[in-house]
Amino acid sequence: MSAEPISSKASILLTILPAIVVVGAFGGGLYFSLTAKPDLPEPEIVEEEVLEEETEDLPDRTYIDIINPIKATLPQLGGTVLINIGLAIREDVGKKVYDMLKDNPGPLMAPMTDAVQDLVDQMPPDSDWQDLRAELPAVIRDKMNVELTSEDRPNPVYEVLILNFTIGG
């Protein structure tokens, strides 16, 4: 009994057929895994209690970007910092404050630089840039309110937003 030789067509088919089966199996598995819907529990709907009395007490706010950065050289932290801020101010005085800052922000930026320097002087010796950045919004807000408050603008600044905090050597 002699074995018959395998024809070239059968040889090619025997070589390619396992690859087709493997690729087909992976393709089918991928298709079914992507189209299957996971059996996830329904999300729990929690109704939040809205405190209307707090929101009614605060007037609407508007936001102002201050173009001039606060620049302070801080040898205690080993560098210079440039801070761009935005203000959340009372909407009823927003136009007045915006016009004042647009016309001449210089006299307001100098006290902000002093406030940054004073804050660094009061910080513990092991403080770093992150500590400064965390404390700045409240300090600048208080200083801005001191500078911007007048009879027709009582405490106009609600919040100070740090838009950019750049440290230089």
Side-chain angles (χ1 to χ4, degrees), residues 25-134:
F26 280 113
L30 180 63
Y31 171 77
F32 286 116
S33 68
L34 291 177
T35 59
K37 294 184 179 171
D39 189 23
L40 297 176
E42 300 239 351
E44 186 176 321
I45 298 175
V46 178
E47 293 184 24
E48 292 184 24
E49 193 174 311
V50 178
L51 301 176
E52 292 180 22
E53 59 195 52
E54 287 184 22
T55 57
E56 289 178 10
D57 293 339
L58 296 175
D60 290 335
R61 60 179 66 197
T62 188
Y63 295 90
I64 297 175
D65 289 345
I66 298 181
I67 296 171
N68 294 18
I70 299 168
K71 181 179 181 180
T73 301
L74 306 171
Q76 303 91 323
L77 297 177
T80 301
V81 66
L82 287 172
I83 307 162
N84 289 81
I85 60 172
L87 304 177
I89 60 174
R90 290 183 17 201
E91 188 173 37
D92 59 336
V93 296
K95 175 84 170 114
K96 294 175 189 173
V97 172
Y98 176 75
D99 289 342
M100 188 171 89
L101 291 171
K102 182 181 74 170
D103 292 340
N104 189 13
L108 185 63
M109 300 322 295
M112 296 307 109
T113 301
D114 293 340
V116 171
Q117 184 63 52
D118 292 342
L119 175 62
V120 171
D121 291 342
Q122 296 171 7
M123 291 171 52
D126 60 339
S127 298
D128 60 6
W129 293 105
Q130 286 78 22
D131 298 329
L132 174 65
R133 192 174 196 289

